[in-house]
Amino acid sequence: MTATTSPSRARRLWSLVLAAVLVLAGAVTAPAQAAGEAALTGTAHDADGVPVADASVEARRWDGTQWAWESTAFTGPDGSFSFEVTPGDYALWFDPAGESLVYDQYLGGGTADPAGPGAAHTLALAEGTNPAVDAVLALGASLTGAVTAPEGYPIADAVVHAYRWDTEAGGWSSGVQAITTLSGGFHLGAVPPGDYTLHFSGLPETAAQEQYLDGSASAPLGPQSPGVLHLDVGDSGPGEVVLAAGALIEGLVVPPVGVAPSSLAVDVYEVFLAGTGDNQVIDSWALAGREPVAANGAFRLRNLEPGRHYSVGATAPGVVSLYLGGASGLRDATWFTVADGAITLDFSGTGGADVLVTDDDGTPAPYAEVELFRWVDGDWAST
């Protein structure tokens, strides 16, 4: 399994050796202040008072628009840390080692950037000041589970992306992600408590193409919706996740005379209908994928979701595009659902025409520029 790493964590790597030297030398003490500078010292520990050693601590200074990195320190065995910085407004950010404490948290345990100077848990440092900071780091939860195909076998190399509900923004906030192991397992530790949904992609063709925790292709509407996992401090979930089944539809392209089927590709569209009953028409669409065509004209549409509407189209070299049902445009094409079974794109009635360009007296006109236009959706479009 791999997981995303924040830029701040990357800074841990090149600073770790220096931090170890400072700790061993007993250098985590209140710094001697230079003229025109401020200092701060503090101790990081958990809610039980246990010191947090080897945590990365960043002093982030307000630059007028955002909290910008100013300096990095590492906590000693007793949880102590210290900075000597330029006077200004600061937020302290912590990245504890291990998986029990929330990664990427600010002083006070929050994970979002403070609103600005004067917000809770920010520090205003004047020249010559040296406040003592008592940092109680928040405990986290973990997203742990295993991804299983509809047939029951583990899914390796699937992408698991965690989204956390942001109450302030009223939407899902993108978070960390992991790749499943050979046994289908994934683990995202030290996440903040809260409401989560998981998005799965890179799935086998028997599963719905991309899906959330409840098997839906769409994100849950809110924290009370199906497919949402609530995690308190120390919780772990969701456990085994059995993917929702998708569909595999087979098709056949009948190419124009002289065109090799393998030179074609079939575009798959999810289409959205307007109207009711027999008066339904394709109103809009979204490209869902592209599938190759075999030498015998066969193609496969994978990961289709039951209940949704699809259509397909292809373009043969030197021939106008053709969509399902023989339509020249997608808006006039036939659509299908996974219950409709195999489909065929038949180009056999299409082809080109030779055109002779001459001048007024019938003399052939070589090197004339010829542009072909096709009527599409109520207007002429250059092809």
Side-chain angles (χ1 to χ4, degrees):
M1 184 207 76
T2 59
T4 56
T5 304
S6 69
S8 301
R9 283 198 174 193
R11 285 196 285 269
R12 279 182 72 100
L13 301 179
W14 60 262
S15 302
L16 194 55
V17 174
L18 175 59
V21 171
L22 292 174
V23 170
L24 291 174
V28 184
T29 58
Q33 293 180 47
E37 293 192 342
L40 64 87
T41 58
T43 303
H45 57 88
D46 64 18
D48 295 325
V50 178
V52 178
D54 299 324
S56 174
V57 188
E58 288 188 4
R60 297 182 177 181
R61 184 170 177 266
W62 183 254
D63 66 3
T65 59
Q66 63 181 353
W67 298 103
W69 177 86
E70 179 83 7
S71 183
T72 299
F74 287 85
T75 57
D78 59 353
S80 61
F81 60 90
S82 63
F83 289 97
E84 185 173 335
V85 293
T86 303
D89 293 292
Y90 282 86
L92 290 182
W93 175 94
F94 298 83
D95 184 13
E99 295 193 346
S100 61
L101 298 169
V102 175
Y103 63 88
D104 294 6
Q105 61 176 287
Y106 281 94
L107 183 64
T111 56
D113 289 349
H121 307 295
T122 60
L123 304 168
L125 300 182
E127 180 180 347
T129 58
N130 184 8
V133 176
D134 181 40
V136 182
L137 302 189
L139 290 167
S142 67
L143 291 162
T144 303
V147 180
T148 304
E151 299 83 358
Y153 61 85
I155 302 301
D157 299 323
V159 180
V160 183
H161 199 133
Y163 292 85
R164 181 170 176 260
W165 183 258
D166 186 330
T167 303
E168 263 188 44
W172 294 105
S173 175
S174 179
V176 290
Q177 70 179 32
I179 307 297
T180 57
T181 63
L182 290 176
S183 62
F186 64 91
H187 176 73
L188 297 166
V191 298
D195 295 300
Y196 286 87
T197 189
L198 299 178
H199 178 264
F200 302 91
S201 58
L203 306 179
E205 62 186 22
T206 57
Q209 187 170 14
E210 293 189 4
Q211 55 185 278
Y212 286 84
L213 199 53
D214 63 345
S216 171
S218 302
L221 295 177
Q224 306 303 320
S225 303
V228 175
L229 176 68
H230 180 79
L231 295 177
D232 289 320
V233 171
D235 285 351
S236 179
E240 183 181 18
V241 178
V242 180
L243 298 175
L248 174 66
I249 298 294
E250 295 185 345
L252 181 69
V253 171
V254 181
V257 175
V259 175
S262 57
S263 67
L264 307 177
V266 173
D267 290 323
V268 188
Y269 300 89
E270 182 179 358
V271 297
F272 307 95
L273 308 180
T276 58
D278 295 336
N279 296 319
Q280 284 185 307
V281 295
I282 295 178
D283 181 61
S284 60
W285 53 84
L287 183 65
R290 173 169 288 184
E291 300 292 344
V293 178
N296 64 355
F299 62 89
R300 305 171 77 189
L301 307 180
R302 301 166 293 172
N303 305 116
L304 302 183
E305 184 176 348
R308 292 180 177 261
H309 297 89
Y310 298 92
S311 191
V312 293
T315 302
V319 181
V320 297
S321 299
L322 183 73
Y323 295 88
L324 192 61
S328 60
L330 190 55
R331 197 176 296 277
D332 300 318
T334 302
W335 63 86
F336 65 93
T337 66
V338 297
D340 294 325
I343 56 177
T344 299
L345 273 171
D346 190 348
F347 280 87
S348 59
T350 64
D354 293 328
V355 178
L356 176 64
V357 180
T358 66
D359 58 22
D360 291 341
D361 61 6
T363 303
Y367 309 115
E369 181 177 330
V370 180
E371 187 171 3
L372 178 65
F373 289 84
R374 178 165 61 97
W375 186 258
V376 178
D377 296 333
D379 200 3
W380 291 105
S382 175
T383 59

